[in-house]
Amino acid sequence: MEPQLSIIVPVYDPGEYLPRALDRIAGQTRGDFECILVDDGSTDGSAAVCDEYAAKDGRFRVIHQKNAGASAARNAGIGAARAPWLLFADADDVLADDAVETLLARQLAEPEVFVVFAFTEGLDLLGVERRQPPEKRYRARDLGRMYAETPLAAPWGKLFDAALVRAAGLRFDTAMRCYEDRPFVTDYLRAFFARDPGAGCLFLNRPLYYYENGNAASLSKSDRSRLAPSHYEAFDRLLTDCLERYRTPPAELFKIVLEYMNTLLYGAWCTPPGERRRAMARFYKSDEYRRLMAYFADNRLYEARYLPLRFHATALAVALDQSRLVPPMSLYWKFHWLGLRTLCRGWTPLIPTA
């Protein structure tokens, strides 16, 4: 039976989480899929676990490679995939038992749409039908709302058209060790809407994917967040595409912009002081910085960290960013109100003011 879906799983030292993930894949209620396990130089015995599943279930295939990172592992999976649809999953996460059945049924019924689906961080909520509305549809112009309401940025949580991925030459950027998923999704959206500007995205509002937030060794928790140009370049490309290609209303881009600021300033916080000064000086001279400041000023949209960045007050911007994470966020909110009452009087805040 030819597979209709290729599930690509990069594997690097997931430990005890791997058998759980693979058991749920093996137990899917629809079986016309293949699972490509890319062992990225695991040192914890996971390579042998991958081989064990491949030996007992012909739907599993294993690629062993030297450690090269999640991007290289996903790229290897793309290269080996035989099915017309691709689904990425992490080795410590879990698919609902009927995820393949549900996703293929909706995708094959409407092959022209981009299917995205909900996730949960509670294993007991995986697959539970209690979210309303059950489906939502978006066009290119709606990408700001879609970004805020769906897991659009992650590599998992969606089906990719394998033919489109190959035709557009899309691959994950192996030079990026953090936030590497964002350029891939941005490029896929470009190719998707270039093929058909009137195409739509379909969001299934049922959690078919469980995101494991308790794995201390998870790729998303690794210490790779020091500020690099690729981090803000990735957000800049998405923001620019939304404004110029898709004509998304600027106010609807609040989630993208807030995550842009979070990533930028968290990266600055993670960077040692001397290196931070050089990294931020480079940012302040960049076109990405100019476009970010123009987004706020041209649209009269306000966020507390905007003013420190506008005046190159990096230490204050980082302090505001850190205070945002600690209740009651007093420093952040003091600057929020100060800015709205002074230099940005009459502007519209990007976040609720309560």
Side-chain angles (χ1 to χ4, degrees):
M1 180 170 54
E2 288 297 315
Q4 290 296 306
L5 178 66
S6 294
I7 304 172
I8 298 171
V9 184
V11 179
Y12 179 70
D13 289 359
E16 62 185 8
Y17 296 99
L18 182 59
R20 179 186 69 177
L22 301 188
D23 283 343
R24 296 298 282 267
I25 292 174
Q28 288 293 305
T29 57
R30 178 167 175 166
D32 54 343
F33 68 88
E34 63 174 357
C35 181
I36 303 171
L37 304 173
V38 185
D39 165 39
D40 189 42
S42 293
T43 61
D44 66 347
S46 292
V49 174
C50 292
D51 289 337
E52 174 189 338
Y53 276 81
K56 66 184 180 183
D57 189 332
R59 296 172 301 180
F60 288 79
R61 288 192 286 145
V62 184
I63 299 171
H64 295 288
Q65 63 182 34
K66 293 182 179 180
N67 179 248
S71 291
R74 293 186 180 114
N75 289 343
I78 292 171
R82 296 179 297 160
W85 304 100
L86 307 177
L87 172 66
F88 296 102
D90 288 345
D92 50 359
D93 297 340
V94 180
L95 288 174
D97 293 336
D98 64 340
V100 171
E101 178 181 2
T102 300
L103 294 170
L104 280 178
R106 292 303 290 117
Q107 185 70 83
L108 296 178
E110 297 184 74
E112 71 283 0
V113 303
F114 182 26
V115 172
V116 181
F117 55 96
F119 76 101
T120 180
E121 294 185 26
L123 192 54
D124 58 327
L125 300 178
L126 183 63
V128 175
E129 294 256 22
R130 68 181 191 183
R131 297 188 178 189
Q132 295 297 327
E135 296 183 356
K136 296 187 73 172
R137 292 180 184 269
Y138 303 87
R139 298 291 180 182
R141 192 174 187 274
D142 305 321
L143 278 182
R145 289 192 295 105
M146 187 178 179
Y147 192 97
E149 297 167 359
T150 77
L152 187 59
W156 43 261
K158 51 192 65 69
L159 295 189
F160 294 97
D161 183 334
L164 182 59
V165 169
R166 294 191 178 101
L170 302 184
R171 291 295 186 271
F172 290 86
D173 186 351
T174 57
M176 293 182 68
R177 306 294 285 181
C178 195
Y179 312 116
E180 73 284 347
D181 42 5
R182 296 176 186 277
F184 182 86
V185 174
T186 298
D187 288 344
Y188 184 83
L189 288 168
R190 282 185 180 182
F192 179 77
F193 288 117
R195 182 177 65 182
D196 180 3
C201 304
L202 174 66
F203 175 55
L204 305 182
N205 198 17
R206 177 178 165 226
L208 298 172
Y209 190 93
Y210 166 68
Y211 174 71
E212 176 57 63
N213 199 27
N215 183 4
S218 172
L219 286 171
S220 61
K221 290 179 178 293
S222 60
D223 185 21
R224 299 172 179 169
S225 299
R226 290 186 181 186
L227 184 60
S230 59
H231 299 169
Y232 50 80
E233 288 166 0
F235 279 97
D236 174 74
R237 289 177 60 206
L238 178 58
L239 182 61
T240 301
D241 278 1
C242 287
L243 290 170
E244 298 180 1
R245 288 174 178 259
Y246 313 131
R247 303 299 179 186
T248 306
E252 292 183 5
L253 298 172
F254 70 94
K255 184 68 178 295
I256 295 173
V257 174
L258 292 177
E259 287 195 3
Y260 187 167
M261 304 277 271
N262 297 349
T263 300
L264 173 73
L265 293 170
Y266 176 68
W269 181 77
C270 290
T271 305
E275 184 183 340
R276 178 191 303 168
R277 285 191 293 273
R278 291 189 294 272
M280 288 301 291
R282 180 166 50 186
F283 173 64
Y284 290 137
K285 294 177 181 177
S286 70
D287 289 338
E288 289 81 10
Y289 170 72
R290 177 183 56 78
R291 284 189 288 267
L292 180 61
M293 295 298 98
Y295 166 81
F296 288 105
D298 293 351
N299 300 294
R300 297 176 65 82
L301 294 169
Y302 175 75
E303 202 274 340
R305 294 164 291 180
Y306 159 69
L307 286 175
L309 286 174
R310 174 182 164 186
F311 295 108
H312 299 190
T314 299
L316 178 55
V318 170
L320 288 174
D321 186 67
Q322 289 298 300
S323 74
R324 176 183 59 85
L325 304 175
V326 181
M329 303 187 295
S330 57
L331 179 63
Y332 179 90
W333 285 104
K334 285 177 181 177
F335 267 83
H336 175 89
W337 289 112
L338 179 64
L340 283 175
R341 284 170 167 77
T342 56
L343 297 180
C344 298
R345 180 185 295 273
W347 290 24
T348 301
L350 277 182
I351 58 176
T353 56

